[in-house]
Amino acid sequence: MAHPLPHELTEQITTSEQLEPAAAAVADLATKLTESDPVKNALSGTWLGHRLHPMLTDVVIGAWMSASILDVMAGKKARGAATTLVGVGILASPVTAAAGLSDYADLYGGPRRLALVHGAVNVVGLAMQTRSFRARRQGKHIRGAMWSLAAMAGVGVGGYLGGHLSYVNGIGVDHTAFDEGPDEWTTAMPAGELEDGATSVVTVAGREVLLHRRDGRVMAMANRCTHAGLPMGEGAVQADGCVTCEWHGSRYEPDGTVVRGPAASPQPVFEVREVQGLIEIRAATSR
């Protein structure tokens, strides 16, 4: 059975090698602009515990869509409100784009190419809405309304591509959301095999777990990073006790709290005990 046409188009974009040079160049720029911890945390949504970019897109799209609805349904009496809504969407666009650029910096391959087109289409939509706002301010409300309708068509395409990135490619989701257990105390490894200062990755009840002993105490954390689902890697525990993912630099406190993005969701951790020479763990009751 053939895939729907929009899905086929997204596949063509993700496999297009012609887009790769531009995609890589934008990624290099995005990485430089968002490399500091405060900037990365702010734009990733680390302080929010949730991705920031999708929330901001709701503001932009919601304002512009409401303006077009007023244009069609309310006519002359709502021209002032419609103009204000177009302006709100324009003002919200730069910070929305900045949050998206921060997420873009951590992509690669097909999803990065798709994100490049997603961003380009939305820039075109912003340009059209800017033309609309200018026309409305000049009293050319019908022309402004037409520009807004044309912009919404482009923004709709951008929204579809953004949805594909999230719901098909899994960008921006918590990759540990469906990982469960063990609910009962389960042996992880012999206690004597984990020396002080050492780190080990073991599989317990089907889950990879990162164990680290410091000052006699053992910390246990899921080895799969919430940000992209990649392994944290042995030796990821820093001198301050934080755990840093070797792939994209997300950093977590021993209790799973995010210290540095791009991760926004807390990292799953486990309760630990040592019984009869064995290290045992079980899933923490809350995250």
Side-chain angles (χ1 to χ4, degrees), residues 132-154:
S132 171
F133 185 77
R134 184 180 299 117
R136 293 170 190 269
R137 293 283 293 175
Q138 294 173 347
K140 302 173 183 177
H141 294 284
I142 294 178
R143 179 179 297 179
M146 296 302 292
W147 273 113
S148 285
L149 286 173
M152 288 310 299

Side-chain angles (χ1 to χ4, degrees), residues 19-33:
L19 291 172
E20 185 56 30
V26 174
D28 289 342
L29 176 61
T31 299
K32 291 177 182 178
L33 292 176

Side-chain angles (χ1 to χ4, degrees), residues 13-17 19-20 23 109-118:
I13 293 171
T14 58
T15 57
S16 174
E17 292 294 335
L19 291 172
E20 185 56 30
R112 187 169 70 181
R113 297 167 196 151
L114 192 63
L116 176 72
V117 177
H118 163 74

Side-chain angles (χ1 to χ4, degrees), residues 24-251:
V26 174
D28 289 342
L29 176 61
T31 299
K32 291 177 182 178
L33 292 176
T34 62
E35 62 184 352
S36 73
D37 288 2
V39 171
K40 195 65 177 180
N41 288 347
L43 296 178
S44 295
T46 299
W47 54 276
L48 191 61
H50 180 287
R51 282 285 162 201
L52 180 63
H53 181 63
M55 295 180 62
L56 294 176
T57 60
D58 288 349
V59 176
V60 177
I61 295 174
W64 287 346
M65 182 174 290
S66 297
S68 289
I69 291 173
L70 289 179
D71 289 334
V72 174
M73 302 299 295
K76 293 182 180 180
K77 62 183 179 181
R79 285 176 172 174
T83 300
T84 298
L85 286 167
V86 172
V88 168
I90 292 171
L91 289 175
S93 292
V95 65
T96 303
L101 196 65
S102 177
D103 293 346
Y104 181 93
D106 303 304
L107 299 180
Y108 48 87
R112 187 169 70 181
R113 297 167 196 151
L114 192 63
L116 176 72
V117 177
H118 163 74
V121 170
N122 285 328
V123 168
V124 172
L126 173 60
M128 289 182 175
Q129 290 289 11
T130 302
R131 290 289 298 269
S132 171
F133 185 77
R134 184 180 299 117
R136 293 170 190 269
R137 293 283 293 175
Q138 294 173 347
K140 302 173 183 177
H141 294 284
I142 294 178
R143 179 179 297 179
M146 296 302 292
W147 273 113
S148 285
L149 286 173
M152 288 310 299
V155 170
V157 172
Y160 175 84
L161 298 179
H164 191 93
L165 284 165
S166 293
Y167 301 119
V168 177
N169 297 131
I171 305 302
V173 303
D174 180 349
H175 285 264
T176 67
F178 300 106
D179 293 346
E180 297 180 351
D183 296 323
E184 305 296 332
W185 288 109
T186 306
T187 299
M189 66 183 299
E193 294 183 5
L194 188 66
E195 299 178 355
D196 201 72
T199 300
S200 180
V201 175
V202 297
T203 300
V204 183
R207 298 183 68 177
E208 283 197 354
V209 180
L210 186 150
L211 298 173
H212 179 76
R213 187 187 294 277
R214 181 180 295 273
D215 299 327
R217 299 184 61 182
V218 178
M219 174 207 72
M221 175 180 290
N223 191 48
R224 199 156 73 101
C225 184
T226 62
H227 167 243
L230 296 169
M232 305 282 283
E234 292 191 35
V237 182
Q238 310 301 306
D240 59 1
C242 290
V243 183
T244 301
C245 177
E246 61 184 357
W247 292 91
H248 300 110
S250 296
R251 190 160 64 248

